[in-house]
Amino acid sequence: MSAITVCIFSFNRAQYLRNCIDSIRNCLTGADILIFDDNSDDTETLELLNSLKKDCRVIKPKKLGTIKHGGLYHNMNLALDLLNDTPLACFLQDDTQLVRPIDTPELHQIQDMFDRNPTLGFIHPCFIRGIDLKRRKVTPLPASVSHFFYRQDTGQSAGIHYSDLVIFEPKRLIEAGWHFQQSEPANDQQAKKLFGMMAYMWLPIAMWLPEVPAYRGKKKTLGLRLAEKHKQVGFYPFEILSISKDEYIQKNEMPKLPIAEEFLTCQGTTPPAPWTYNPLTGLTLYKHVNNIEIFIRRWLKQ
């Protein structure tokens, strides 16, 4: 059994899923990989999933989701059940990737962070999104292990105690009675009650890809289609960073806040900063069109 298992939650994005898998194979040699596919029906995705069964475990959901994230949280609960004996687990999604190599000593540092902090529930593996700094300042707070920090609570609904992309000890969650709720804010509140603050990495290992296509309820609204055209959404995978976490910490007595746009570049064309992760971000008109269509869909179902 590997020291860490990586779970990828996927739906109908073959190109992104392939990139995510390749980044794990390149950066985290020997990791066990589980793919939780949310009933993809795209031919290319299905062919990829079939080919991945040779060295990954592909799992279909037992329960279908009805919220905008589909069956994400149902699949997270299924993953937790299956990860019972796994020392460490990392949750990624198909539109994310690992961005630098992680060796065994660093996995030991992550384990050490959990060992020294019995109330720690989650470690966030991703960089800070530059777009988020427009809404609130990020103030780092010291952690017991120098490679990590906590984030001062500024009243946001998620990101202080929990994120959908996390590293955790499955046994610790199970013993605490954890059950994934149906939204990030709900899970953040649960984590606040059961654990302490979520830890952040000074030099993270993963990131969401910028400017990716999106679904709401697995169907694209007119507003989303217009927003995607306006934003020129596309496939922007990251270059792999060459610096290790130890090298970075040693060179910086006061590490630089890990803002994605200041560390990462994309292969080929890099979108203009700040990057966005939802095509509707900053596009009020298209957001209204999207919301109206969603309202009509729900009304027609009544």
Side-chain angles (χ1 to χ4, degrees):
M1 181 175 63
S2 171
I4 188 167
T5 297
V6 182
C7 298
I8 307 170
F9 300 93
S10 173
F11 171 71
N12 270 2
R13 290 195 283 205
Q15 189 177 33
Y16 295 88
L17 176 59
R18 186 181 293 109
N19 176 69
C20 186
I21 293 285
D22 288 345
S23 75
I24 297 168
R25 288 171 173 164
N26 291 332
C27 295
L28 193 51
T29 306
D32 293 328
I33 303 174
L34 276 65
I35 303 168
F36 292 81
D37 178 63
D38 199 12
N39 285 311
S40 292
D41 53 14
D42 168 68
T43 301
E44 184 181 2
T45 302
L46 292 175
E47 290 175 353
L48 175 61
L49 289 169
N50 189 54
S51 70
L52 290 171
K53 289 179 180 178
K54 298 174 184 176
D55 51 7
C56 301
R57 186 174 177 186
V58 178
I59 300 164
K60 296 287 186 179
K62 293 180 179 178
K63 187 174 181 180
L64 301 181
T66 57
I67 62 170
K68 70 178 182 179
H69 295 295
L72 174 62
Y73 298 108
H74 297 310
N75 286 338
M76 285 183 172
N77 282 316
L78 175 58
L80 185 58
D81 290 340
L82 295 174
L83 295 171
N84 186 347
D85 297 323
T86 302
L88 290 173
C90 177
F91 278 2
L92 297 178
Q93 296 177 18
D94 54 8
D95 60 347
T96 67
Q97 71 165 79
L98 296 185
V99 297
R100 65 176 180 83
I102 309 104
D103 56 19
T104 300
E106 184 164 353
L107 291 178
H108 290 162
Q109 291 168 359
I110 293 171
Q111 186 64 64
D112 185 44
M113 182 65 177
F114 282 109
D115 291 344
R116 292 196 194 188
N117 297 275
T119 62
L120 177 66
F122 302 99
I123 293 174
H124 190 48
C126 294
F127 286 81
I128 293 169
R129 298 185 287 198
I131 192 75
D132 293 344
L133 298 178
K134 288 192 168 186
R135 289 178 287 182
R136 55 178 56 88
K137 181 181 179 182
V138 173
T139 301
L141 303 174
S144 59
V145 178
S146 62
H147 296 75
F148 303 90
F149 67 95
Y150 297 106
R151 181 172 170 175
Q152 186 177 56
D153 191 348
T154 54
Q156 62 263 46
S157 61
I160 298 300
H161 306 91
Y162 172 86
S163 167
D164 282 343
L165 301 186
V166 284
I167 298 171
F168 61 95
E169 290 184 314
K171 185 178 180 180
R172 182 171 295 193
L173 265 62
I174 292 168
E175 290 179 348
W178 178 273
H179 184 84
F180 287 98
Q181 306 301 309
Q182 294 296 300
S183 71
E184 266 191 313
N187 283 311
D188 197 276
Q189 286 299 310
Q190 179 181 197
K192 184 177 182 179
K193 293 176 182 177
L194 296 178
F195 305 110
M197 299 176 79
M198 178 172 66
Y200 282 74
M201 294 179 160
W202 277 117
L203 188 61
I205 63 173
M207 191 56 194
W208 293 271
L209 270 59
E211 313 300 351
V212 300
Y215 286 86
R216 287 296 177 263
K218 294 188 176 182
K219 295 180 181 178
K220 285 189 186 294
T221 64
L222 174 62
L224 264 178
R225 291 197 300 270
L226 293 173
E228 288 181 352
K229 184 175 181 180
H230 180 92
K231 287 261 184 85
Q232 295 184 323
V233 302
F235 180 55
Y236 302 103
F238 294 116
E239 298 279 359
I240 300 299
L241 289 173
S242 59
I243 189 171
S244 73
K245 179 181 278 190
D246 282 334
E247 290 172 328
Y248 177 70
I249 296 295
Q250 289 168 4
K251 290 178 180 178
N252 298 272
E253 292 183 7
M254 291 295 293
K256 183 179 179 182
L257 199 64
I259 300 168
E261 290 88 338
E262 297 180 11
F263 283 80
L264 303 174
T265 57
C266 298
Q267 300 174 24
T269 303
T270 299
W275 300 332
T276 63
Y277 305 89
N278 180 334
L280 295 170
T281 299
L283 301 179
T284 304
L285 176 60
Y286 297 146
K287 188 178 293 186
H288 286 323
V289 173
N290 173 77
N291 292 342
I292 290 170
E293 181 173 337
I294 290 174
F295 174 80
I296 293 173
R297 285 183 189 175
R298 290 173 178 169
W299 182 77
L300 290 175
K301 285 183 178 180
Q302 292 179 354

